[in-house]
């Protein structure tokens, strides 16, 4: 058996061997199929085994102890006290040392998981917000050093906060050493990327590929005169897609993954995972090999660093997203978390329409009530735009026209639609498809900016209620709620990016404002101010949530039909009793019959969110504008 010494250190390789045995088939079962016929496969097998052993041996004792704890408590990330917060290090606190100084603020908000937005060394100049990485083993020098990073993860760990960082696995910056060597013609490194001597194949691929950034980076390939080759560049020109059909890429990325795990990272956000496998004649998104690769990466991580979980970023349709949480043969073996893009889109759609029928249909039809070893990352806003991922079929199932509804949502959130409360900007308008994505901060999209500008105090109240309703929704739906930096103090759109040369082409900077610590002080000093109401409201939501065992992510989420088009409702079916969560998506009063709530299992007539009795004593539960109730 593995020995634990009295100071908590772990000695010997026994644990490694046990964990290797546990995950051997999950790992090699995939890699044999993916790479078995590759001439370099036997050497790759040895190199990967060696890399796993080396990473295990250099893993620090306190992290090994965390591994043990989480082997014993594998639901740690599904518990109702898990709340995430995403921020840019520089925009939040200047640098890594600054972040450590702000941890008490986050702790007070109820945060137990922090996502440091891209923090590895990016290319100089425009780096797509840091998603164009030139060195995976160095920290962005503007934020500090690798030592500062390890000090920051340790400080977080001490406070019970898990650190998440991005691992951009689909592409590197063209300034990465691999890319530089490829550019010079080194055949080993040319095989790290997808390059072509002429445009014959690129043109064939283009026939079925989509455009991610049609506005400022049209096309999926770039020609380099000096190389005399076309390079696959799905995103921006400076982001070169890696060739995952080469086992060497799996090996390199596994080493990077474990390197980061050994620096104290507990959640790896695997970026743009849908794009990692290419197949002629397809969109080259979410091909079966993506899931095989992701299962193998997960298995490698479970062998060396089982306390680390994977958040897979795939902003795709519901049917395409679920497999990232492990379906079919990958059940329980792939991502532990994936963004619930549909919940986010449906929140904004129902809010604009004051009608939840589409939301109820989509969430009730496409998503299973529970998942194995996995749950959603629920969110209202993040650093990216909102794309109106509503299919024509789902729209018509509730009597809507897909293209018209999507156009309505863009107009509404841009602020153009008559009577719209929102203020945002368009992102990546695609005249070919008619797609118009939206940028904007949570508060501005919820109506706070317009209401303040108009001096409309009732409008301010409604905007605040929308913000709080949305957060009560993501806190109870099932998953890990992620707060996006500044949303807790209702930060408005930041138009200053228009004046910054490297940023002006990308309207996503509209909702990436600098943290406003004066506004935090104001919010703390005056709980009646808009920012004070939002800050104390969010703190309350997360504190109540932590005490509600029904909200553990393993308990099924059943979408309910209320028969009232302005209400969205679901039940969390815990063995100890149900919690029925009800949300009013309109600015008008309504009610639900007490009987209905009782039938759904809310027999105690108690709202756990306000900790107050629910119901008027005459058979109805009145619901004010934007009400949110967690009925027990
Ligand atoms: C992800 C990121 C996005 C970035 C893209 C390319 O989607 O969230 O911000 O532009 O990947 O790395």
């Amino acid at each position: 058996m593995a020995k634990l010494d009295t100071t908590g250190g772990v000695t010997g390789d026994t644990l490694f061997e046990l964990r290797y045995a546990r995950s051997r088939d999950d790992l090699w079962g995939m890699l044999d199929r993916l790479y078995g016929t590759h001439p370099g496969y036997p050497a790759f097998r040895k190199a990967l085994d060696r890399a796993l052993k080396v990473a295990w041996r250099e893993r620090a004792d306190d992290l090994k102890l965390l591994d043990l704890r989480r082997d014993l408590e594998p639901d740690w990330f599904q518990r109702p006290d898990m709340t995430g917060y995403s921020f840019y290090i520089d925009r939040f606190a200047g640098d890594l040392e600054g972040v450590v100084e702000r941890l008490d603020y986050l702790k007070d908000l109820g945060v137990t998981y922090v996502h440091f937005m891209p923090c590895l060394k990016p290319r100089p100049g425009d780096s797509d917000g840091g998603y164009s990485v030139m060195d995976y083993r160095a920290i962005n020098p503007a934020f500090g050093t690798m030592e500062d990073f390890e000090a920051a993860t340790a400080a977080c760990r001490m406070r019970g906060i898990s650190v998440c960082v991005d691992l951009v696995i689909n592409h590197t910056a063209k300034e990465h050493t691999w890319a530089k060597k490829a550019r010079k013609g080194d055949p080993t490194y040319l095989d790290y990327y997808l390059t072509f001597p002429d445009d014959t194949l690129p043109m064939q691929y283009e026939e079925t590929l989509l455009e991610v950034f049609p506005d400022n980076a049209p096309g999926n390939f770039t020609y380099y005169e000096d190389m005399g080759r076309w390079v696959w560049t799905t995103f921006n020109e400076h982001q070169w897609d890696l060739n995952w059909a080469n086992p060497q890429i799996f090996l390199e990325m596994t080493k990077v993954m474990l390197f980061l795990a050994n620096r104290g990272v507990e959640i790896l956000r695997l970026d743009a995972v849908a794009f990692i496998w290419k197949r002629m004649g397809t969109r080259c998104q979410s091909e079966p090999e993506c899931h095989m690769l992701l299962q193998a990466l997960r298995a490698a991580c479970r062998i060396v660093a089982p306390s680390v979980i994977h958040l897979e970023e795939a902003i795709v349709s519901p049917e395409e997203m679920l497999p990232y949480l492990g379906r079919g043969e990958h059940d329980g073996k792939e991502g532990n978390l994936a963004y619930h893009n549909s919940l986010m889109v449906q929140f904004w759609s129902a809010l604009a329409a004051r009608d939840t029928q589409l939301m109820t249909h989509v969430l009730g039809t496409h998503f299973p009530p529970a998942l194995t070893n996995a749950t959603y990352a629920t969110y209202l806003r993040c650093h990216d735009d909102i794309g109106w991922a509503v299919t024509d079929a789902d729209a018509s199932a509730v009597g809507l026209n897909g293209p018209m509804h999507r156009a309505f949502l863009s107009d509404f959130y841009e602020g153009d639609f008559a009577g719209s409360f929102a203020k945002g900007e368009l992102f990546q308008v695609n005249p070919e498809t008619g797609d118009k994505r939206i940028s904007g901060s949570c508060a501005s999209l919820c109506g706070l900016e317009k209401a303040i500008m108009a001096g409309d105090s009732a409008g301010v109240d409604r905007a605040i209620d929308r913000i709080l309703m949305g957060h009560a929704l993501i806190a109870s739906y099932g998953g890990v709620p992620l707060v996006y930096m500044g949303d807790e103090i209702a930060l408005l759109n930041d138009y200053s990016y228009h004046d910054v040369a490297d940023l002006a082409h990308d309207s996503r900077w509209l909702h990436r404002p600098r943290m406003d610590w004066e506004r935090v002080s104001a919010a703390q000093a005056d709980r009646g101010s808009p920012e004070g109401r939002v800050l104390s409201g969010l703190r309350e939501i997360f504190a109540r949530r932590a005490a509600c065992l029904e909200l553990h992510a393993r308990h099924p989420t059943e979408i309910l039909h209320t028969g009232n088009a302005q209400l969205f409702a679901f039940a969390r079916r815990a063995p100890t009793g149900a919690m029925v969560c009800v949300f009013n998506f309109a600015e008008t009063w309504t009610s639900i019959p007490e009987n209905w709530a009782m039938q759904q299992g809310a027999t105690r007539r108690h709202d756990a969110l306000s900790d107050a009795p629910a119901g008027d004593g005459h058979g109805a539960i009145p619901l004010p504008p934007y009400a949110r109730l967690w009925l027990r």
Side-chain angles (χ1 to χ4, degrees):
M1 281 306 290
K3 274 187 263 146
L4 274 183
D5 68 30
T6 45
T7 57
V10 183
T11 55
D13 286 340
T14 317
L15 271 178
F16 175 83
E17 280 149 20
L18 287 171
R19 290 187 182 126
Y20 192 103
R22 172 176 70 178
S23 298
R24 175 187 287 114
D25 293 347
D26 295 343
L27 177 69
W28 294 110
M30 296 297 113
L31 297 177
D32 287 350
R33 272 157 67 190
L34 284 160
Y35 301 126
T37 57
H38 193 282
Y41 193 58
F44 161 80
R45 281 193 73 116
K46 282 201 196 111
L48 183 61
D49 265 339
R50 200 164 45 241
L52 298 180
K53 195 61 156 283
V54 167
W56 157 258
R57 291 209 170 136
E58 69 156 53
R59 191 159 171 79
D61 278 352
D62 59 336
L63 296 176
K64 286 182 172 171
L65 212 57
L66 188 66
D67 292 336
L68 267 181
R69 226 175 53 219
R70 296 216 172 132
D71 269 344
L72 296 170
E73 304 177 38
D75 70 332
W76 65 276
F77 64 96
Q78 299 174 316
R79 295 180 182 171
D81 62 353
M82 199 67 186
T83 298
Y85 187 90
S86 308
F87 58 83
Y88 290 91
I89 289 172
D90 52 344
R91 293 185 166 231
F92 181 65
D95 57 16
L96 282 162
E97 275 182 30
V99 169
V100 173
E101 283 161 25
R102 297 296 185 183
L103 290 180
D104 289 341
Y105 168 74
L106 294 177
K107 204 68 216 180
D108 183 56
L109 185 60
V111 169
T112 52
Y113 154 165
V114 284
H115 174 194
F116 295 172
M117 292 292 295
C119 60
L120 303 181
K121 191 176 175 191
R123 73 188 291 269
D126 174 22
S127 63
D128 185 21
Y131 285 100
S132 204
V133 179
M134 63 181 279
D135 187 347
Y136 292 97
R137 288 184 171 80
I139 294 296
N140 183 339
F143 305 161
T145 61
M146 192 48 86
E147 287 70 48
D148 298 330
F149 180 75
E150 286 191 74
T153 61
C156 288
R157 200 159 54 247
M158 261 179 50
R159 287 175 172 77
I161 298 178
S162 301
V163 172
C164 169
V165 301
D166 290 270
L167 181 55
V168 185
I169 64 172
N170 178 66
H171 44 263
T172 71
K174 67 176 178 186
E175 288 79 4
H176 192 286
T177 32
W178 305 335
K180 286 206 259 184
K181 287 181 189 168
R183 194 150 177 180
K184 290 216 177 84
D186 182 330
T188 303
Y189 291 94
L190 271 175
D191 199 25
Y192 274 38
Y193 297 92
L194 295 147
T195 73
F196 308 87
D198 57 57
D199 66 358
T200 318
L201 286 174
M203 293 219 329
Q204 280 176 32
Y205 277 114
E206 281 288 13
E207 285 185 19
T208 50
L209 286 173
L210 306 180
E211 301 255 11
V212 181
F213 295 146
D215 233 11
N216 58 292
N220 288 279
F221 300 88
T222 306
Y223 185 69
Y224 292 90
E225 205 68 64
D226 56 331
M227 258 176 117
R229 294 184 82 84
W230 289 86
V231 178
W232 199 311
T233 52
T234 301
F235 291 85
N236 290 292
E237 173 274 325
H238 50 79
Q239 292 163 303
W240 286 19
D241 287 45
L242 287 162
N243 175 21
W244 279 86
N246 176 359
Q248 221 37 44
I249 295 301
F250 187 91
L251 179 64
E252 295 273 19
M253 276 301 169
T254 301
K255 287 186 189 167
V256 168
M257 172 177 85
L258 299 175
F259 171 85
L260 293 171
N262 283 352
R263 308 275 92 63
V265 171
E266 297 178 34
I267 299 142
L268 283 161
R269 177 190 180 277
L270 305 182
D271 182 65
V273 288
F275 296 88
I276 60 179
W277 196 269
K278 325 290 186 191
R279 172 166 285 116
M280 182 64 83
T282 71
R283 294 177 302 131
C284 298
Q285 280 190 49
S286 304
E287 287 297 302
E289 288 83 352
C290 295
H291 299 292
M292 296 169 68
L293 287 166
L294 291 164
Q295 175 181 317
L297 284 173
R298 181 78 215 115
C301 200
R302 286 193 84 204
I303 291 171
V304 177
S307 58
V308 175
I309 57 169
H310 287 175
L311 162 61
E312 296 186 1
E313 191 241 358
I315 306 304
V316 290
S317 67
E319 313 83 77
E320 202 176 319
M321 179 274 251
L322 278 166
Y324 291 96
L325 291 168
R327 310 300 283 165
E329 65 166 326
H330 306 293
D331 186 61
K333 296 176 180 175
E334 204 183 315
N336 308 92
L337 292 171
Y339 289 97
H340 204 324
N341 183 54
S342 284
L343 178 66
M344 185 275 289
V345 166
Q346 292 304 329
F347 167 75
W348 293 108
S349 163
L351 203 59
R354 282 83 163 173
D355 187 316
T356 61
Q357 291 176 86
L358 179 64
M359 182 175 198
T360 299
H361 168 74
V362 168
L363 296 171
T365 314
H366 298 298
F367 296 92
L371 299 150
T372 318
N373 291 343
T375 190
Y376 305 111
T378 58
Y379 65 115
L380 297 179
R381 290 300 294 115
C382 68
H383 66 291
D384 280 329
D385 53 290
I386 307 174
W388 301 114
V390 173
T391 65
D392 292 348
D394 284 333
S396 63
V398 295
L400 293 172
N401 170 294
M404 278 171 66
H405 185 63
R406 292 191 295 269
F408 155 69
L409 293 173
S410 295
D411 294 347
F412 188 93
Y413 285 108
E414 192 188 5
D416 271 5
F417 194 84
S420 164
F421 50 72
K423 199 158 159 35
E425 285 181 3
L426 296 181
F427 180 70
Q428 303 293 333
V429 176
N430 190 338
E432 253 179 59
T433 58
D435 270 357
K436 291 191 277 183
R437 286 138 71 182
I438 281 289
S439 291
S441 79
C442 179
S444 291
L445 296 181
C446 278
L448 191 60
E449 188 172 334
K450 268 194 184 167
I452 288 175
M453 275 178 4
D456 168 7
S457 67
V460 168
D461 289 347
R462 284 196 295 269
I464 292 170
D465 276 325
R466 290 184 194 107
I467 297 171
L468 296 178
M469 195 244 313
H471 284 89
L473 171 75
I474 61 167
S476 54
Y477 183 83
V480 179
L482 299 183
V483 177
Y484 181 62
M485 181 185 101
D487 286 351
E488 79 279 18
I489 49 162
L491 283 190
L492 304 179
N493 289 337
D494 172 10
Y495 298 93
S496 67
Y497 83 96
H498 285 289
D499 307 322
V500 182
D502 279 340
L503 311 182
H505 66 277
D506 188 339
S507 75
R508 291 176 298 175
W509 291 98
L510 181 67
H511 53 258
R512 299 171 181 175
R514 285 181 188 284
M515 188 58 177
D516 185 342
W517 292 104
E518 276 174 29
R519 196 171 164 96
V520 170
S521 304
Q524 287 164 338
D526 177 6
R527 294 176 55 146
S529 63
E531 57 272 23
R533 283 157 69 187
V534 173
L535 182 61
S536 55
L538 258 60
R539 199 198 279 129
E540 173 99 2
I541 289 170
F542 295 123
R544 297 266 183 223
R545 173 178 189 266
C548 290
L549 296 180
E550 298 93 329
L551 298 181
H552 190 295
R554 88 172 137 227
H555 301 318
T557 301
E558 184 193 338
I559 307 297
L560 302 176
H561 290 263
T562 61
N564 179 338
Q566 72 191 68
L567 296 181
F568 177 65
F570 52 81
R572 300 299 312 281
R573 300 257 174 242
T576 47
M579 177 173 278
V580 176
C581 304
V582 184
F583 305 88
N584 179 6
F585 272 76
E587 52 268 83
T588 49
W589 281 78
T590 185
S591 67
I592 43 164
E594 269 181 6
N595 270 347
W596 176 86
M598 301 266 285
Q599 279 158 14
Q600 301 306 329
T603 50
R604 283 169 51 192
R605 295 197 176 87
H606 181 257
D607 173 22
L609 185 52
S610 60
D611 194 21
D616 61 1
H618 303 288
I621 301 176
L623 298 167
Y626 302 114
R628 52 271 172 193
L629 297 183
W630 295 351
L631 299 171
R632 280 192 157 139

